[in-house]
Amino acid sequence: MLEHSIIEELINFYNHSFTIIDKHEKVIYWSDRASEIFNMEKSEVIGKDIKEIFAEDKLAILQTLRNNEVIEKKQHMATKSIYVNLKSVPILIEGKVEGAIVSEIDVTEQKRQEEEIEQLKNQVNFLTDNVKQLKNEEHFKNIIFKSSIMENLKNQIKRAAKTNANILITGETGVGKELFAQSIHNSSETSGEFIPINCGAIPKHLFEAELFGYEKGAFTGANKEGNKGKLELARDGTLFLDEIGDMPLDMQVKFLRVLQERKYFRLGGKKEVSTHFRLVSATNKTISELLNSDNFRSDLLYRINVLNIHIPPLRERPDDIESLFYYYIYHLSKKYQTELRYADHSLLNNLRSYHWPGNVRELINVVERLVIFSNEDQLNNNIFDQYLVEVGQSDKTLSVPNLSEDLNLKDYIHKVEAEYIKYIVEQNDHNIEKSSHDLGISRPTLYSKMRKFQF
């Protein structure tokens, strides 16, 4: 009896987990630390076939028993949140395998620290890449990217900028169309200024005066000295018409004449003014939408769309998400005078998987929120989770495999079961007891299925 108690104390003396099975694959010993790691009491485990508790293909102890081999694994995922260094050895009696024992040392904190170091290295690498980009690409200094898609786009812009052809930039809201227009101007050989005008932000009755300018006394309330229009300000430079699809119809006719004749009249003026400028336009509408619209002239579209530069949405270039994320983390941390905090893999994965309907503009807003509200050494993942709830994109939704997927019945049922169990567990914030109750299965069975489905 004393001998048994001493062995028991020695086993639990160190912070190791021990599990022993006999040759029939039944659990005959389960240490206190094993109970803590796997959140299962001895009464739930001892005497049961170990395959009832854990997924068979994940059990090193079974391989040891069946093949009489020693197995070691470093930083093995024991549970969703715990990593262990594992060693499994056979128990031999007179040369025969009569059982197996596996020990596990919790190395979660060590792994977390290693991930922190790796993450900091990644930050340094991304920031270094961005600094190189700023130094080497003066004309593109405000456009941060890593993807080959954007590299190809940059090369297109360089070629387009060398010409005097009219350029139409297309892309969703928030992709940074004005930044690209500015880069075209910076890359060109024009001597004048970059003059932007948002066609959707100017009241219809003021549009002509804003674009063409006006003479003194042209209308009630006009500046006594008259006023230069955007066309005049853009002389020998670049006129950027943002959201050109919102230009009033009557102005489209007048602007089309400017493009054809390169001449115009100021509002209230009698003398025709000659002009020369480089035209870059932008719209969040597609070319087909503009062509099929009753509010936009097709002849004007053909004039402005000599060269088309399409900026893909952020969701189509996930490689750029991390680069942009780190860039704005750095600059917004400086802006708000906060420490530069690191992001763990979970947050980065969530950022990459989100579809970003607001594109780069939305990403900047999210980063700003993370910088302002995070208080710990790392960025607070819950802040982004809350944001997803706000915009109706919480990932805690049940997804079902698409029927168009090429799956046989067994695989389809397998995927449905995995998604449903994951959904219930996440709905219950990983409360295993409540989840097993809602699913109508035991806790050991739920643990087994979670390991089987790898979540």
Side-chain angles (χ1 to χ4, degrees):
M1 192 70 179
L2 178 60
E3 184 179 293
H4 178 79
S5 297
I6 291 173
I7 293 172
E8 183 82 17
E9 288 299 323
L10 284 172
I11 287 175
N12 291 308
F13 188 80
Y14 295 101
N15 193 29
H16 293 194
S17 162
F18 288 95
T19 304
I20 303 175
I21 60 173
D22 63 17
K23 63 182 179 181
H24 303 296
E25 302 181 354
K26 294 187 181 298
V27 180
I28 59 173
Y29 187 82
W30 183 258
S31 71
D32 293 344
R33 186 61 181 137
S35 294
E36 292 174 13
I37 290 177
F38 297 100
N39 196 25
M40 285 185 283
E41 299 299 327
K42 293 181 180 181
S43 59
E44 299 177 80
V45 178
I46 291 179
K48 292 185 178 178
D49 190 315
I50 197 164
K51 298 188 296 297
E52 295 178 18
I53 306 166
F54 301 104
E56 183 174 351
D57 59 342
K58 305 297 180 185
L59 286 169
I61 197 171
L62 276 186
Q63 290 178 252
T64 293
L65 179 72
R66 294 170 179 175
N67 303 324
N68 188 16
E69 63 177 327
V70 175
I71 297 173
E72 293 188 63
K73 294 183 179 181
K74 299 293 184 183
Q75 296 190 347
H76 172 72
M77 182 182 281
T79 69
K80 186 177 179 64
S81 59
I82 296 177
Y83 290 83
V84 297
N85 285 347
L86 172 153
K87 184 173 183 179
S88 179
V89 297
I91 299 173
L92 301 174
I93 300 176
E94 296 181 354
K96 293 183 179 179
V97 180
E98 297 293 339
I101 181 169
V102 63
S103 69
E104 289 137 333
I105 304 171
D106 189 341
V107 293
T108 306
E109 181 61 23
Q110 175 188 330
K111 181 173 176 60
R112 187 188 71 81
Q113 291 175 357
E114 289 175 0
E115 287 179 347
E116 281 185 28
I117 294 170
E118 186 63 29
Q119 199 59 56
L120 288 171
K121 287 180 181 177
N122 288 339
Q123 286 188 16
V124 171
N125 290 337
F126 274 113
L127 290 173
T128 301
D129 288 345
N130 289 330
V131 168
K132 288 179 181 177
Q133 194 172 30
L134 295 180
K135 288 181 178 179
N136 297 332
E137 300 288 347
E138 180 63 27
H139 300 324
F140 297 86
K141 63 183 180 180
N142 293 319
I143 299 174
I144 307 304
F145 65 91
K146 188 181 179 183
S147 65
S148 58
I149 294 174
M150 296 300 284
E151 184 66 35
N152 292 335
L153 188 62
K154 183 185 74 175
N155 292 332
Q156 281 186 22
I157 289 173
K158 285 180 177 179
R159 295 181 66 179
K162 293 178 181 178
T163 73
N164 290 320
N166 295 333
I167 298 173
L168 177 62
I169 301 174
T170 55
E172 295 178 5
T173 298
V175 292
K177 294 186 285 292
E178 185 167 346
L179 283 178
F180 284 87
Q182 181 75 64
S183 294
I184 291 170
H185 171 76
N186 294 341
S187 302
S188 66
E189 297 177 357
T190 54
S191 58
E193 296 183 22
F194 177 81
I195 305 298
I197 178 170
N198 190 320
C199 299
I202 302 172
K204 183 178 178 181
H205 64 284
L206 296 178
F207 204 105
E208 186 172 0
E210 184 75 16
L211 188 61
F212 295 148
Y214 56 85
E215 301 289 351
K216 58 182 179 179
F219 53 87
T220 303
N223 189 317
K224 293 181 181 180
E225 302 300 322
N227 197 58
K228 292 182 179 180
K230 300 295 187 185
L231 282 174
E232 190 169 351
L233 294 173
R235 183 185 298 276
D236 297 323
T238 300
L239 177 68
F240 174 54
L241 297 181
D242 196 9
E243 302 306 341
I244 194 170
D246 295 328
M247 180 183 283
L249 263 175
D250 60 331
M251 280 303 304
Q252 292 177 32
V253 178
K254 295 175 181 179
F255 187 63
L256 181 59
R257 180 181 178 276
V258 174
L259 294 180
Q260 292 170 335
E261 307 293 336
R262 293 291 168 172
K263 295 179 180 180
Y264 67 96
F265 289 93
R266 283 184 174 184
L267 198 62
K270 296 180 180 179
K271 182 181 178 180
E272 197 168 36
V273 181
S274 297
T275 183
H276 179 268
F277 59 90
R278 159 15 108 45
L279 177 65
V280 179
S281 309
T283 179
N284 60 12
K285 297 179 173 65
T286 64
I287 301 298
S288 60
E289 282 180 298
L290 292 175
L291 282 172
N292 295 323
S293 173
D294 295 330
N295 296 316
F296 199 82
R297 296 178 62 96
S298 59
D299 50 359
L300 176 58
L301 177 61
Y302 296 134
R303 278 282 180 176
I304 65 175
N305 189 35
V306 178
L307 299 179
N308 179 253
I309 301 292
H310 178 70
I311 306 171
L314 199 52
R315 63 181 172 274
E316 291 181 7
R317 43 190 177 99
D319 286 347
D320 292 337
I321 292 174
E322 278 189 54
S323 192
L324 285 161
F325 175 75
Y326 284 122
Y327 179 83
Y328 286 108
I329 281 289
Y330 176 75
H331 285 280
L332 289 170
S333 294
K334 286 185 67 176
K335 175 183 176 180
Y336 292 108
Q337 298 181 338
T338 62
E339 293 181 10
L340 184 62
R341 298 181 173 92
Y342 79 92
D344 64 19
H345 288 298
S346 176
L347 176 58
L348 290 173
N349 288 337
N350 289 339
L351 290 169
R352 287 175 67 91
S353 61
Y354 179 52
H355 68 289
W356 299 107
N359 292 291
V360 179
R361 188 180 300 151
E362 183 183 12
L363 176 60
I364 295 170
N365 292 341
V366 167
V367 172
E368 193 160 8
R369 184 182 294 203
L370 286 164
V371 167
I372 292 171
F373 289 128
S374 295
N375 295 317
E376 306 299 329
D377 293 336
Q378 70 181 60
L379 297 169
N380 189 339
N381 296 13
N382 292 331
I383 293 171
F384 185 57
D385 292 340
Q386 179 59 38
Y387 176 78
L388 294 178
V389 173
E390 288 177 18
V391 296
Q393 295 294 330
S394 173
D395 59 354
K396 292 184 178 180
T397 56
L398 176 61
S399 62
V400 177
N402 195 313
L403 287 172
S404 64
E405 291 185 55
D406 187 18
L407 299 172
N408 59 37
L409 179 60
K410 181 180 177 181
D411 290 339
Y412 186 83
I413 292 172
H414 179 92
K415 290 194 73 171
V416 170
E417 181 183 14
E419 291 296 338
Y420 184 63
I421 292 174
K422 182 179 180 181
Y423 170 74
I424 293 296
V425 170
E426 290 182 348
Q427 284 289 91
N428 290 321
D429 292 325
H430 294 274
N431 184 318
I432 300 302
E433 185 172 353
K434 189 174 188 310
S435 298
S436 62
H437 178 269
D438 291 349
L439 290 164
I441 59 179
S442 67
R443 285 168 59 189
T445 301
L446 176 55
Y447 274 116
S448 174
K449 289 184 179 294
M450 288 174 68
R451 282 163 181 72
K452 178 181 178 182
F453 298 128
Q454 298 183 332
F455 61 83

